[in-house]
Amino acid sequence: MALKLNGENGDASQWQNSSMSNDLSFLLARVNADSIASGNSALKRLGLKARSYAVLSLVCDDLQPSQRDLAEFLRLDPSQVVTLIDELEGKQLVMRQPDPSDRRSKIVIPTSKGHTLRTEAEAAIATASQQLSKSLTAEQRKNLASLLRTLAFS
Amino acid sequence: MALKLNGENGDASQWQNSSMSNDLSFLLARVNADSIASGNSALKRLGLKARSYAVLSLVCDDLQPSQRDLAEFLRLDPSQVVTLIDELEGKQLVMRQPDPSDRRSKIVIPTSKGHTLRTEAEAAIATASQQLSKSLTAEQRKNLASLLRTLAFS
DNA sequence: TATTGTTATACTCTATAACTATA
DNA sequence: TATAGTTATAGAGTATAACAATA
């Protein structure tokens, strides 16, 4: 074997010489893969995934988003949002409500059950996120979130 | 419509009040989605995608990885690596070479055509990455890469 | 005519199990 | 018995086009 790999992250000292370790898109992809895996794992017992948690969480803020709004914000196709809302509505976590000012559009609002589950899910995600970024100091974590937020909303 | 959205990133001032804008996993997912889209777009004319570029780039470093090594590093299933190497080999960008010390294993090495394309692809990705992170200063960009590297290799 | 939600569909990505050849 | 690569297959995720209702 050309490369000796140890542990779940392999032999970092070998790979850190690779050109990819300076590649922002690669680093994002790899860290995101780990993040989704840890998120899905943490949310499993609640019957949610990273994706459905994001929708539920957004709906539970007081933004009253339409399905279109959710699609744009979460970088999803509108048809995917249909499926996600179907799921959450089937579990009585959210409800579709026609927008009085535009009857084509449907506003998504949370149920009390949805609010409750969201609170639990938020805690589960916080723990998973803490675990994921345990190699960073609290300040570094804040800094990382701030930089990503700038990229996300620029 | 409950939320007014303008431009490709929507109305940031509205969404930045949402709970998700503090959620590391969400921020990673969204920025990664933009990164893959811009990467794929930049690589399209070269017949590559973000994924195949990562493999080619790694192979073009002098690490002589086995397919197993690539799978572990890129967080891919070994069967996915088969497909990726098949593609790259079909385009004569890389070659499979049996490992003399373990004939079960195959080392992947670049062709000169592979090296050439990798150089072009590297430039394309650099431009796309620059574009993606144009809202950050050079120092912030370095800082972001450093933080992500810590997470990726911790 | 354009847009929202919806459905259907196909395409990509990812995960699993089984097979072969080696160790 | 265990591991690397391979194959087949199914499941999840994503993208596209078309349709009904509404603007």
Side-chain angles (χ1 to χ4, degrees):
Chain A
M1 170 158 68
L3 287 165
K4 200 74 186 299
L5 297 173
N6 309 312
E8 66 176 5
N9 287 303
D11 184 341
S13 63
Q14 275 274 14
W15 290 105
Q16 266 173 347
N17 292 327
S18 82
S19 54
M20 293 311 277
S21 66
N22 294 314
D23 186 314
L24 188 60
S25 62
F26 161 72
L27 291 168
L28 280 167
R30 173 151 159 167
V31 174
N32 183 52
D34 290 343
S35 164
I36 288 178
S38 100
N40 283 343
S41 161
L43 291 167
K44 190 157 194 172
R45 68 181 173 85
L46 300 174
L48 294 173
K49 294 190 165 188
R51 187 60 55 76
S52 47
Y53 165 68
V55 173
L56 178 61
S57 194
L58 237 28
V59 168
C60 284
D61 290 339
D62 282 329
L63 300 168
Q64 305 207 331
S66 71
Q67 295 186 192
R68 215 55 148 189
D69 294 330
L70 291 168
E72 294 184 25
F73 187 61
L74 295 171
R75 298 283 190 262
L76 298 174
D77 192 86
S79 64
Q80 297 176 255
V81 175
V82 172
T83 310
L84 284 162
I85 301 294
D86 281 351
E87 274 177 35
L88 294 174
E89 201 176 33
K91 294 175 181 172
Q92 299 174 356
L93 299 169
V94 307
M95 292 185 299
R96 286 174 166 97
Q97 186 176 282
D99 184 342
S101 71
D102 182 347
R103 278 155 48 219
R104 289 173 306 180
S105 182
K106 294 177 187 170
I107 292 172
V108 187
I109 58 172
T111 64
S112 67
K113 192 177 167 189
H115 268 297
T116 304
L117 188 64
R118 184 270 185 111
T119 304
E120 290 182 65
E122 212 168 17
I125 281 290
T127 304
S129 171
Q130 194 85 9
Q131 178 67 14
L132 187 79
S133 59
K134 64 176 189 284
S135 56
L136 302 180
T137 66
E139 195 185 6
Q140 286 177 316
R141 216 172 295 141
K142 254 182 73 178
N143 193 214
L144 174 61
S146 167
L147 290 167
L148 289 173
R149 199 158 35 237
T150 302
L151 287 185
F153 296 105
S154 64
Chain B
M1 169 158 68
L3 286 163
K4 201 75 187 300
L5 297 173
N6 308 312
E8 66 176 6
N9 288 302
D11 184 339
S13 63
Q14 275 274 12
W15 290 105
Q16 266 172 347
N17 292 325
S18 83
S19 54
M20 292 313 276
S21 65
N22 294 313
D23 186 314
L24 187 61
S25 62
F26 161 72
L27 291 168
L28 280 167
R30 173 151 158 167
V31 175
N32 183 53
D34 290 343
S35 164
I36 289 179
S38 100
N40 284 344
S41 161
L43 292 167
K44 189 156 195 173
R45 68 180 173 85
L46 301 174
L48 294 174
K49 294 189 166 189
R51 186 62 52 77
S52 47
Y53 165 68
V55 172
L56 177 61
S57 195
L58 238 28
V59 167
C60 284
D61 290 339
D62 282 330
L63 299 168
Q64 305 207 331
S66 70
Q67 296 186 189
R68 215 55 147 188
D69 294 329
L70 292 168
E72 294 186 24
F73 187 62
L74 295 171
R75 297 281 190 266
L76 300 174
D77 192 86
S79 64
Q80 297 177 254
V81 175
V82 172
T83 310
L84 284 162
I85 301 294
D86 281 350
E87 275 178 35
L88 295 174
E89 201 176 34
K91 293 174 181 172
Q92 299 174 357
L93 300 169
V94 307
M95 292 185 300
R96 285 175 166 95
Q97 186 176 282
D99 183 342
S101 71
D102 182 348
R103 277 157 46 222
R104 291 174 305 180
S105 182
K106 293 177 187 172
I107 291 172
V108 187
I109 59 172
T111 64
S112 67
K113 193 177 167 189
H115 268 297
T116 304
L117 188 65
R118 184 269 186 114
T119 303
E120 291 181 65
E122 210 168 20
I125 281 289
T127 303
S129 171
Q130 194 85 8
Q131 178 68 16
L132 186 79
S133 59
K134 65 176 188 287
S135 56
L136 301 181
T137 66
E139 194 185 5
Q140 286 178 317
R141 215 172 297 139
K142 254 182 72 178
N143 194 215
L144 174 60
S146 167
L147 290 166
L148 289 172
R149 199 158 36 237
T150 302
L151 286 184
F153 296 106
S154 63

